[in-house]
């Protein structure tokens, strides 16, 4: 029993310190509200906050696009650029460069 007579173990002979040490270990690792669970929840909260900021920026960008498309000029510009629409009296020429074309060699 000379092992327990060492200076390090002397405070653990006091029952109050022993109970306090067990309580601290229990609260840090085993309790339903342990530090590990709190750490995991805080990490989840941080991830959700950054996701929230991303979606706020996307909403702002979409609102700008809606505002642009609500005007006649903006809608016409979008239709011409995305769907290659034209007026009846117009001709449209689409120039595609060889490096932008999809071929079997590029795939």
């Amino acid at each position: 029993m000379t092992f327990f007579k060492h200076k390090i173990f002397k405070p653990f002979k006091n029952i109050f310190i022993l109970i306090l040490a067990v309580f601290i270990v229990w609260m840090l690792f085993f309790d339903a509200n342990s530090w590990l669970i709190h750490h995991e929840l805080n990490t989840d909260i941080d991830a959700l906050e950054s996701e929230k900021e991303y979606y706020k920026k996307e909403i702002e960008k979409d609102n700008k696009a809606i505002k642009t498309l609500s005007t006649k000029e903006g809608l016409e510009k979008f239709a011409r650029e995305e769907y290659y629409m034209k007026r009846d009296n117009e001709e449209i020429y689409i120039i595609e460069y060889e490096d932008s074309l999809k071929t079997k060699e590029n795939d």
Side-chain angles (χ1 to χ4, degrees):
M1 291 312 257
T2 59
F3 181 70
F4 289 109
K5 292 184 179 182
H6 199 270
K7 290 181 183 180
I8 296 173
F9 294 110
K10 191 170 185 175
F12 290 105
K13 289 182 181 178
N14 187 343
I15 189 72
F16 296 111
I17 293 177
L18 186 62
I19 291 173
L20 180 64
V22 169
F23 176 74
I24 289 172
V25 168
W26 179 265
M27 291 305 289
L28 284 177
F29 300 107
F30 301 114
D31 192 48
N33 298 317
S34 70
W35 176 81
L36 297 173
I37 292 174
H38 276 281
H39 179 68
E40 183 180 330
L41 292 175
N42 286 337
T43 307
D44 290 345
I45 288 171
D46 292 340
L48 289 172
E49 288 290 334
S50 64
E51 196 173 320
K52 178 181 169 183
E53 290 300 318
Y54 168 76
Y55 285 122
K56 279 185 179 182
K57 290 177 184 175
E58 288 296 314
I59 288 171
E60 288 177 17
K61 190 167 69 171
D62 289 344
N63 283 337
K64 287 179 185 177
I66 288 172
K67 194 177 222 180
T68 303
L69 291 174
S70 64
T71 63
K72 187 175 182 179
E73 295 83 21
L75 190 60
E76 182 179 345
K77 179 181 176 186
F78 179 77
R80 286 172 175 267
E81 290 175 357
E82 296 296 320
Y83 296 107
Y84 305 115
M85 293 185 167
K86 64 180 186 80
R87 294 188 179 136
D88 290 334
N89 59 354
E90 288 182 334
E91 293 286 327
I92 294 180
Y93 296 98
I94 300 173
I95 300 171
E96 292 183 353
Y97 295 100
E98 192 171 316
D99 60 344
S100 66
L101 296 176
K102 288 191 175 183
T103 61
K104 290 182 182 179
E105 296 169 4
N106 291 347
D107 292 339

